[in-house]
Amino acid sequence: MFKTIKLIALIAVVATLFACKKDQAEKNSDRLVGTWAVQSILDIEYENNVETGRDEDAGNGETLEFKADGNGIQTDGQYSDSFKWTATDSELKITWDGDEADVFKIKSLSKTDLHISIEDIDVENNITYKEVTEIKLKKK
């Protein structure tokens, strides 16, 4: 009888652990739904892993709206572009109309703040050029 109680308790604990992980992943994706205002965009350029340039810009009214159905709209005050999006715990994939997808690393995500980054690497004449773009957004 005691072994049966231990087994039932163990199964309940394991089921709870797996359920919590699934709920957490859904919550992270759900947090993206809504309109986010770009606060800053930081571009850092490297040649052979040595920083050669840095440029920071304010968002200038740019927003990204993530809809629950996986569609989205980017606006900059004058123009807008639509996109499709998916997210995991660590990545945000944005596919612009007719273009390839951009895959951003989610550096941090809360109910009100989002920090993402993307890297672009090219090699020419034995020189590795890398550009890192970091974007900070705040939920409206």
Side-chain angles (χ1 to χ4, degrees):
M1 180 70 165
F2 188 65
K3 288 182 181 180
T4 304
I5 293 172
K6 281 176 121 177
L7 181 60
I8 291 172
L10 179 63
I11 291 171
V13 168
V14 171
T16 302
L17 289 175
F18 283 112
C20 289
K21 287 182 182 178
K22 182 179 177 188
D23 289 346
Q24 183 64 32
E26 290 172 7
K27 288 179 186 174
N28 285 340
S29 183
D30 289 343
R31 286 182 188 162
L32 284 168
V33 174
T35 301
W36 296 80
V38 176
Q39 301 297 299
S40 67
I41 302 171
L42 174 63
D43 287 313
I44 308 169
E45 296 177 352
Y46 298 89
E47 287 182 20
N48 291 330
N49 292 320
V50 175
E51 185 176 322
T52 59
R54 179 178 286 250
D55 184 36
E56 188 163 8
D57 199 7
N60 298 325
E62 186 173 345
T63 62
L64 294 172
E65 180 183 358
F66 297 95
K67 298 180 181 181
D69 66 0
N71 289 299
I73 299 172
Q74 178 266 336
T75 59
D76 66 4
Q78 289 182 295
Y79 302 101
S80 64
D81 288 318
S82 59
F83 60 87
K84 296 197 179 296
W85 69 278
T86 58
T88 65
D89 287 342
S90 60
E91 291 184 342
L92 169 61
K93 181 178 177 182
I94 296 178
T95 305
W96 304 97
D97 276 347
D99 289 335
E100 292 183 24
D102 290 325
V103 179
F104 295 87
K105 275 187 197 170
I106 298 175
K107 297 185 86 164
S108 64
L109 172 60
S110 71
K111 291 180 181 180
T112 59
D113 296 291
L114 172 61
H115 184 185
I116 56 177
S117 69
I118 190 167
E119 292 184 4
D120 183 32
I121 299 173
D122 289 318
V123 178
E124 290 181 22
N125 300 323
N126 293 324
I127 299 174
T128 301
Y129 298 95
K130 178 169 76 169
E131 182 177 350
V132 177
T133 302
E134 295 192 12
I135 304 169
K136 292 183 180 179
L137 304 102
K138 185 162 281 298
K139 198 165 205 177
K140 290 180 97 177

